[in-house]
Amino acid sequence: MKTLPIPPQQARLAGLFYLIIILCGVGSEVALRGPLIDFGSAERTMQAIGAEAMRFRFSILADVVMALADAALAVLLFLMLRPVSAGLALGALVFRLLQSGLIAAGLLNLQAALVVGDAGLALSFISLHAYGYDLGLIFFGVNCLLTAVLIINSGFVPRILGLGIGLSGLVYLTGSILRFAAPDLHGLIAPAYVVPLIAETAFCLWLLVLPGIGRQVTVG
């Protein structure tokens, strides 16, 4: 048994970055970019992007901010959870950074869709971005499972949050694998993404509020 002091400023900063990730991720996909894209019609998509080019550009910038915040959060969570298990925390750090890098690199496909003059090519680039995003979420799914183990064994983060993050990892892995292995079934998993939204928002709020974070906690 050992006693572990947890810096409240560090954890609250992690919560702030987590909040940025949630707002930028949901905002870019649902509020900004999503309404412009119609995978059933390349022409309508091209016309919508042409009419709302600045909106589409802002969606890309929001995703850039999300990727930067995700990399920062990966480091902060590593520092916070390293005393529980240095090996697992390092693994979680690596997988989350891989996710951030893949998602950031995939934004080039959205930029390509913005500048090409062919509607079919533009929609193909947007589709490639969707595949690249899901590829990143495979690594993030592994990160969630490792983070869940760390949280459950930490003794200072509520175990229910660890269970939620673990379930989120399973949802991400299932959805992303279906995207590549059985794309026709990918839509069936869509309602399950409410689980990560709830679980990650709860973890974010806990990091921001930090109940009892200023005291000494015992970790086994």
Side-chain angles (χ1 to χ4, degrees):
M1 304 290 288
K2 61 182 180 180
T3 300
L4 174 68
I6 307 172
Q9 299 86 351
Q10 175 181 297
R12 287 181 182 130
L13 184 59
L16 177 61
F17 281 125
Y18 221 142
L19 183 60
I20 292 171
I21 292 165
I22 293 170
L23 293 177
C24 287
V26 174
S28 66
E29 189 63 34
V30 177
L32 294 175
R33 185 167 57 245
L36 304 179
I37 299 171
D38 181 356
F39 284 105
S41 174
E43 291 297 333
R44 279 198 295 269
T45 299
M46 192 70 169
Q47 290 172 4
I49 292 175
E52 298 278 0
M54 187 58 66
R55 176 177 175 176
F56 194 82
R57 292 181 190 278
F58 276 133
S59 78
I60 297 174
L61 289 175
D63 277 336
V64 170
V65 173
M66 178 188 70
L68 290 171
D70 210 9
L73 176 61
V75 175
L76 289 170
L77 289 180
F78 167 73
L79 294 175
M80 191 174 74
L81 296 171
R82 177 176 54 181
V84 181
S85 171
L88 287 179
L90 180 60
L93 170 69
V94 170
F95 279 101
R96 187 156 198 147
L97 289 177
L98 283 170
Q99 176 236 195
S100 300
L102 284 168
I103 288 178
L107 295 175
L108 291 174
N109 287 309
L110 294 180
Q111 183 63 30
L114 190 62
V115 298
V116 297
D118 182 87
L121 277 177
L123 194 60
S124 295
F125 279 121
I126 293 171
S127 295
L128 281 175
H129 167 261
Y131 276 97
Y133 203 99
D134 272 299
L135 180 60
L137 289 181
I138 290 177
F139 291 91
F140 186 52
V142 177
N143 163 269
C144 286
L145 294 177
L146 295 175
T147 302
V149 174
L150 288 164
I151 290 174
I152 290 170
N153 291 307
S154 68
F156 54 86
V157 183
R159 288 192 173 191
I160 188 66
L161 295 179
L163 294 174
I165 296 297
L167 288 174
S168 300
L170 294 177
V171 171
Y172 286 132
L173 285 172
T174 302
S176 295
I177 290 171
L178 284 177
R179 168 80 75 175
F180 289 96
D184 292 339
L185 300 178
H186 183 262
L188 298 177
I189 194 69
Y193 281 93
V194 71
V195 173
L197 181 60
I198 293 172
E200 292 192 77
T201 300
F203 188 27
C204 166
L205 293 176
W206 184 85
L207 287 166
L208 288 169
V209 176
L210 297 172
I213 201 68
R215 61 181 175 83
Q216 297 286 103
V217 293
T218 301
V219 181

